[in-house]
Amino acid sequence: MADTERATPWPHARPDHPVQLLTHHALMLLAAAQRPDARIRELADAVGVTPRTAVNLLQDLERSGCLHRVRRGRRNHYTVHLDCPVVDPGSGMRTVRAFLTAFGRAGEDGGDRGW
């Protein structure tokens, strides 16, 4: 066995073929939670989608009640609703708060004001 094979903890790992474990909706929710005043282009870049797709994802999250958008001048401000129910069979996560907490993003005060 070659030294490089022994040093690799996962010899069958394929770094040229990574797997995306979270949906674009989940990634957009995380991005909006981290940067509530970000522009569409910035959120799109953070998630790895086009600006048009970012708009669609944000609209889906708004319609679900998990995200609220307020226009502030020429920008939007996003508020994540932490107690919004989510469907995630098998994970035990029942709210946006549980999802964001799993990723270390939920606010300490447990409020519903976003971040």
Side-chain angles (χ1 to χ4, degrees), residues 29-56:
L29 190 63
L30 285 168
Q34 290 174 326
R35 300 183 62 197
D37 293 313
R39 294 185 171 149
I40 295 290
R41 166 65 74 188
E42 295 165 343
L43 293 173
D45 289 346
V47 174
V49 297
T50 65
R52 182 69 225 154
T53 299
V55 168
N56 289 335

Side-chain angles (χ1 to χ4, degrees), residues 17-100:
H17 292 285
V19 175
Q20 183 171 331
L21 297 177
L22 297 176
T23 67
H24 285 134
H25 285 93
L27 293 171
M28 183 59 70
L29 190 63
L30 285 168
Q34 290 174 326
R35 300 183 62 197
D37 293 313
R39 294 185 171 149
I40 295 290
R41 166 65 74 188
E42 295 165 343
L43 293 173
D45 289 346
V47 174
V49 297
T50 65
R52 182 69 225 154
T53 299
V55 168
N56 289 335
L57 292 168
L58 290 164
Q59 288 174 344
D60 285 349
L61 291 167
E62 269 191 277
R63 279 192 293 272
S64 73
C66 294
L67 191 70
H68 181 71
R69 177 179 49 93
V70 175
R71 191 80 174 159
R72 290 186 180 169
R74 294 176 50 177
R75 289 189 144 190
N76 292 321
H77 176 82
Y78 300 97
T79 302
V80 175
H81 296 286
L82 298 175
D83 293 322
C84 180
V86 295
V87 177
D88 194 14
S91 74
M93 290 187 236
R94 302 287 183 254
T95 64
V96 168
R97 181 188 319 275
F99 170 72
L100 295 174

Side-chain angles (χ1 to χ4, degrees), residues 102-114:
F103 289 92
R105 306 285 193 247
E108 294 296 319
D109 64 0
D112 192 34
R113 295 183 300 248

